[in-house]
Amino acid sequence: MIGSKHVLRSRVLVLALLLVIVSASLAGCSSKKANDEAIKIGVIAPMTGPQQFEGQTEVDAVRMAVDEVNKAGGILGGRMITLVAEDDGAQPAQGASAVEKLITKDKVVAIQGAQWSSVSKAVMPILEKYGVPAVTAISTAPDITEGNLPGKDWIFRVIPHDGLVASAIAEFIKTNLKATKVDVLAVNDDWGRQSTAAVKAELEKRGGTLPKIEYYTGGETNFLPQLTAIKNDNPDALFLVGQSQDGSMIVKQLKELKWSKPVIGLGAFASDTFISLAKDAAEGVYSLAQYVDSVDSPINKSFVNAWKTRYPKSLLPDKYAWGPYTATKVIIEAIKKAGSTDPKKIQEALKSVTYDGATGKIAFDAKHQAHPDVYITVIKNGKAVIQTPISTK
Amino acid sequence: MKPRAMNYVKPTRRRTGTILSLAALGLAALAPNVLDSYTRHVLMLAMINIILGLGLNFTLGYVGQPNFGQAALFGFGAYTSAILAMKMHVSFLVSIVAAGLVTLMAGYVLGYISLQLRGAYFCMVTIALGQALLLMASNLLRLTGGPMGLAGIPGPKLAGLLSSTYSLWLVALGLLALMLLVTRLLERSVMGRAWVAIRESETLARSTGVDTFHYALLAYVAGALFAGLGGSLYAHYVGFVDPSIFAFSWSSMSVVAVVIGGRGTIWGPVIGGLLVTLLPEYLRVAALWRLPMFGLVLILIITFMPDGLVALPRLLAQVRSRGKTGVALPGGGGD
Amino acid sequence: MGQLAQQLLNGVVMGGIYALSALGLTMVYGMMNIVNVAHGELYMLGALFTYYLTSTLGLPYLPSVLAALVLVALIGGAMERSSLRRIRGQTMVVTTLVTLGWSLILQNVSLILTGGIPRYITSPFPETSLVLGGLQIAPSRLFAALAAGAVIVLTHLFLQKTVLGNAMRASFQDKDAASLVGINVGLIYMLTFALGAALAALSGGLLGTISYVDPSMGAKGLMKSFVVVTIGGMGSFIGAIFGGLILGIVEALAAAYISSAYKDFIGFIMVVVILLFLPSGLFGKRERYA
């Protein structure tokens, strides 16, 4: 008897708790006070799930950009900017929900994102439906700007896409590394597949061959099977596509196999995160990077310093910090230029806005693609040293 | 939750029920005109989740097998529609019917394989098949577009004048109503009783001459049909399909919906589907604490109401009758 | 030929590592009939605690792993005491979903507390690979594989030979008989789940040196652990060893001779095929057909 009473009582307690949680969250939704003065900018990023680290960095970077502008007195006659960040979990459907919410509930005037190309493609039709522009800083699938997807008028891109960096990579492999037989190990997602295809085309144009193209599933930790097969194939150089975590595991396992040929990576092979994870194994790894913390420009130096002051426990900024920061600044510039918070006017302004970024001037071409510099780097003594800046115009 | 074997209802009550249901349906059909578009969007996703849950409920709820592979069938439907609409430019009607039929056939094959097993091994095979399909979708570039996915899937325009979102809302609502009706009919049929017999004791069911494999397979195939139609709706609604649609998270969310709503009941997947869609959305205010809070709610509901939320009225009635007898509950720790 | 030998060596070593990482999962299933989806998170916590103990507190490696093991065992005990205990005897789906809830909580709270930055546990072993007859193997990897064997044998002996181990097995075979002879069955349940958590944490601590450490690492590895325990037979230790070896070797050979993009596909199809012929894996107890 006592037992069942106990159970009943605790069930009632739980019910009460559930009610509190649900009603608190609902109340939180409705009781948000609308600030007439504040201008709302939205962010969608994978804040949870396997991409959480990159997503968190993205939100941190956007927050820093917004705070800088607010501290300097805001825009449009002293109006402050508020940030609304939503999680997309790197999933297209979740991204669509997040954007629906940002536009219709929070009434954001523009959106920074998405990070994953698949999410960007899923949200583009929604941007078009409501007429709200977005600036993406990380999605590098070429067809977002170059293709004919629904909603392409509403998305802008500050980072050079996979097609634009491919020729730089191929050129470097041919002239600097003097390699003709190149093997590839790339992550099996849209980004890995598309950049591999682009680099393959560019290398073959230059007389190179790619006898072995291997893919791995994102989140893999055992690369020895592929690497052993590649080593056995004995290419002149190895081209890698991957994030910091995967990339660091790959170069460490290459070291285990006593690999001695040149390695060039695309993705995060020049970031502080990669170097701190891979340590000695990172030495001598070449990389094509859309951003490196060692870029020698006053704008970049003040960006890196601001980042270090604001996030002292964090690692040095990488493309997941630089890109979203730049995209946010570009959005703010466009709002200033439009002189209005009307999303349609902001979209118009984005077409002709210019912004001096850490890696060069950001201005969008007719397809909404910007052309800042990219860099070939090599890691020496635990630092990514820039070999050559390359224009993507 | 045993479905009632006897289901005689007074004719007048039955008529009132029908009228009420039709009225509710009519209201739901008009709802998009008054709802704001975010709520409309979330409810649309909820309807897709409910359709998936209703499909899963056959194997998970009635036959009682731990099916964690609903995403495999959902993805099959979504990809069928996406490929037909993008590459062969078929109309929406053809696309959704084809998605249902193709998934039904796929469900027959996948069900035939997985139902060779029971319990934890059945569970593992459903997971493994889902993962295998995910990897196939990533690698068969020409057919599926690989990880790049298929973007720009067009939505339908019913009667040429309704917007695509409104048309899909009506289609989803119609399917949902139809599926509830089908579930009710199946539940009360010989088949429904055979399913429950398998759940209670498969050995006993077999010894009384029930072809348990056959009935379990039918449950799986019926679930596949629902999942295929749901997948088609998803593809046309979101307009973009990529291999992540086969992910374990879709399957597990569907299981969560059925279990917290109430396994083996008609309204369980409805309540559960609403909850697993609305709760994570409205918990967005909690920012980073969104998923831990969702996890906590999940644990609390399942730990204290393993039969799901449909059992809530009975639970409350119990509490009330206790209250009336005036028994003071002893103090002390809540365990 | 050189490649085949190297691939086989890699495969065998990885097999040991896979077996180690699946041990807690198979034990909790075998004893308690729970498919612990939070296994990956307990594994992650083992690695995460080891990282903080070695880098922030500067403790030596092995004591840190043991301390992490104790901490995670406490978390496991708390999980059992607070929720799993209440639903004992419920169907598998119900218990699985409770562990799913726990995995959401553990992963995301770790994310909030650590910021999600990927880290790296400094390995106490030299980084240069050993060379054996033209074949390379990293010392840390070799150690992990050997440790896997040792842990498996020790856990097996613990369950078979010690009083506590016997009490555990007795409690799960016949609860009523066990409590009649004076075994505190409730305590045993908690200790068993804690032991499963400890095994997960131990593998996280040991494997953290050859992987990276971040809150999502457990979820990423969970599918492979599922494959290992299913092939070997759920609940069987010897099965986990064979499941790990088979997966390790098949992955190596598939990447070398078929296609790396289909490497994981082959792993999952293998699960299906093996179960069609051996419905409870290689060494699993015959599943009741009911």
Side-chain angles (χ1 to χ4, degrees), chain B residues 63-65 118-119 198-204 206, chain C residues 287-290:
Chain B
V63 182
Q65 286 299 313
R118 290 293 183 275
I198 300 175
R199 183 181 68 197
E200 301 304 328
S201 165
E202 180 154 6
T203 329
L204 189 64
R206 244 185 320 182
Chain C
E287 188 80 358
R288 286 184 307 277
Y289 199 73

Side-chain angles (χ1 to χ4, degrees), chain A residues 316-339:
Chain A
L316 290 176
D318 55 10
K319 74 170 177 187
Y320 296 99
W322 156 81
Y325 173 88
T326 308
T328 310
K329 283 291 178 82
V330 167
I331 291 173
I332 293 169
E333 283 304 312
I335 298 174
K336 282 201 262 183
K337 192 179 162 86

Side-chain angles (χ1 to χ4, degrees), chain C residues 55-138:
Chain C
S55 74
T56 313
L57 296 185
L59 294 178
Y61 174 65
L62 284 176
S64 304
V65 174
L66 292 177
L69 177 151
V70 173
L71 289 171
V72 176
L74 290 174
I75 294 177
M79 283 165 70
E80 198 278 338
R81 191 81 179 81
S82 63
S83 56
L84 288 165
R85 164 164 312 185
R86 294 168 182 278
I87 46 165
R88 254 200 77 76
Q90 284 284 342
T91 160
M92 206 197 85
V93 181
V94 170
T95 49
T96 305
L97 288 194
V98 168
T99 63
L100 179 72
W102 277 110
S103 94
L104 284 174
I105 294 177
L106 294 177
Q107 184 186 150
N108 288 289
V109 171
S110 310
L111 170 66
I112 293 167
L113 296 181
T114 66
I117 300 171
R119 327 259 190 181
Y120 165 55
I121 301 175
T122 314
S123 167
F125 299 98
E127 289 200 9
T128 335
S129 288
L130 303 168
V131 182
L132 311 153
L135 304 179
Q136 288 91 22
I137 176 119

